[in-house]
Amino acid sequence: MAFEYRHVLTGDGSPTLSLGPTWEHMHALEGAFAETQYIYQPTIEKSFKAVKNPVFLSLGLGLAYNELLIAFESLKHDQTPELIASYESVIPLRENFSDWLENKPVALTPVYDEITNLYSEKYGINSATVKSLLLQLLKNGKLKLLKAVETEIPVPSHAILFDAFSSKTSPELWDENFLNHFFEKSSALPCFVSTYACNGKLKRALRANSFTLAIQPGFGRKRHSIFAQRPQKFPK
């Protein structure tokens, strides 16, 4: 299935895409790789430290920066995720990533290879090892490339990487009723959430679901970002 996209090189030399018809960029133009590390790596690491086999929820798949980061952190900590549930409404992005893992030729192969090599240099872990791990998780049903999250029942997760397009492109994902329902259904105990965004609806939905928020500096031109967590168990 064809889809319209433009390949964009961001400020740190890492790739991103902009998708039609809105042509919104998937990542900050200051650096896709750097943004992913800054916003999402701490949450992934906290999850591996708190839970032996954590469940991860990624919204959405995009170019699989977060899924690859989870895999590299998994090998770093010598722990295996119980599940990586990755939601993506754009069918070709799901298909391209799964085909790439199976070494089938796809249009985005050079992009996935480039991103994986960036992680490999940072972690000192062979890229083929990480690709093999993700393929094994995919075949074992522990990496699920799912449809749009609003059409699915969210999986209770220990880490939520909320990396959706903005409200301009995906207004349904920023509706307060959706956010309340989403965090109610998708949050395990403990649960850690990170997102590049910081707005009133998101903050209210997280607080309504017993999360404690830490408002942090944003990446690039974003003023603020959010890290949130809720405990292993609720107080009596």
Side-chain angles (χ1 to χ4, degrees), residues 162 174 176 179 183 195 197-207 213 226:
F162 199 93
W174 301 94
E176 194 161 351
L179 290 169
F183 287 115
T195 177
C198 184
N199 61 50
K201 292 178 181 179
L202 187 57
K203 289 186 283 187
R204 287 192 294 271
L206 286 164
R207 289 182 176 127
L213 275 60
I226 292 176

Side-chain angles (χ1 to χ4, degrees), residues 70-229:
I70 292 167
F72 274 96
E73 286 285 328
S74 172
L75 292 167
K76 172 187 171 182
H77 292 279
D78 194 25
Q79 294 171 244
T80 304
E82 179 62 31
L83 177 66
I84 304 172
S86 184
Y87 295 86
E88 178 55 64
S89 62
V90 181
I91 296 171
L93 290 174
R94 301 198 305 266
E95 292 177 344
N96 268 250
F97 186 57
S98 61
D99 286 348
W100 174 74
L101 289 177
E102 296 178 1
N103 291 314
K104 298 177 182 177
V106 294
L108 293 177
T109 289
V111 179
Y112 296 134
D113 287 346
E114 186 177 354
I115 295 168
T116 309
N117 288 337
L118 287 169
Y119 280 124
S120 182
E121 291 174 11
K122 177 178 175 62
Y123 282 87
I125 298 172
N126 187 280
S127 57
T129 303
V130 167
K131 192 173 179 180
S132 176
L133 170 62
L134 286 169
L135 179 59
Q136 181 182 6
L137 292 173
L138 182 67
K139 289 183 174 180
N140 291 343
K142 293 192 172 187
L143 169 60
K144 293 186 177 181
L145 305 179
L146 301 165
K147 300 175 184 177
V149 70
E150 62 271 23
T151 68
E152 304 273 353
I153 299 174
V155 179
S157 306
H158 302 105
I160 298 173
L161 314 180
F162 199 93
D163 199 19
F165 270 129
S166 74
S167 57
K168 178 182 177 181
T169 300
S170 303
E172 67 280 0
L173 300 183
W174 301 94
D175 176 81
E176 194 161 351
N177 288 330
F178 166 79
L179 290 169
N180 275 313
H181 176 78
F182 172 75
F183 287 115
E184 178 187 0
K185 298 298 182 183
S186 65
S187 304
L189 294 175
C191 186
F192 306 93
V193 176
S194 54
T195 177
Y196 70 89
C198 184
N199 61 50
K201 292 178 181 179
L202 187 57
K203 289 186 283 187
R204 287 192 294 271
L206 286 164
R207 289 182 176 127
N209 284 280
S210 303
F211 282 89
T212 300
L213 275 60
I215 308 302
Q216 303 181 141
F219 182 85
R221 297 181 183 180
K222 293 284 185 182
R223 286 188 62 194
H224 299 112
S225 60
I226 292 176
F227 170 76
Q229 62 182 343

Side-chain angles (χ1 to χ4, degrees), residues 18-29:
S18 63
L19 300 186
T22 64
W23 302 109
E24 180 177 351
H25 296 102
M26 287 183 173
H27 301 90
L29 291 179

